[in-house]
Amino acid sequence: MQKSHKPINPGYSALKIALIYFVISIIWIIASDQLLSLTVGNHQLFTTLAMFKGSLLWWLLLF
């Protein structure tokens, strides 16, 4: 018996990957901000750490 293989649509695959990345990114932003707000009481320190956290994510993704 031969298995039937559907042709892969590159546009669909790219869209699927982008949507998965988008959902994971939103979850990361919300969860890490919530965790940070629970551990840091100072608003100015929270803002600084949140910006660092965002910069760190970009560095991890780009390099």
Side-chain angles (χ1 to χ4, degrees):
M1 270 191 177
Q2 290 182 338
K3 294 181 181 179
S4 63
H5 295 284
K6 292 183 181 178
I8 298 173
N9 182 348
Y12 176 74
S13 296
L15 179 63
K16 185 176 176 182
I17 291 169
L19 287 174
I20 291 169
Y21 177 81
F22 176 75
V23 169
I24 290 172
S25 298
I26 294 299
I27 291 170
W28 163 258
I29 291 168
I30 292 171
S32 61
D33 279 348
Q34 288 295 320
L35 182 62
L36 193 59
S37 70
L38 290 174
T39 57
V40 176
N42 184 337
H43 181 68
Q44 186 174 1
L45 180 59
F46 170 80
T47 303
T48 303
L49 291 174
M51 286 190 295
F52 176 75
K53 176 183 63 82
S55 301
L56 180 64
L57 179 62
W58 277 107
W59 277 100
L60 291 174
L61 292 174
L62 294 176
F63 299 106

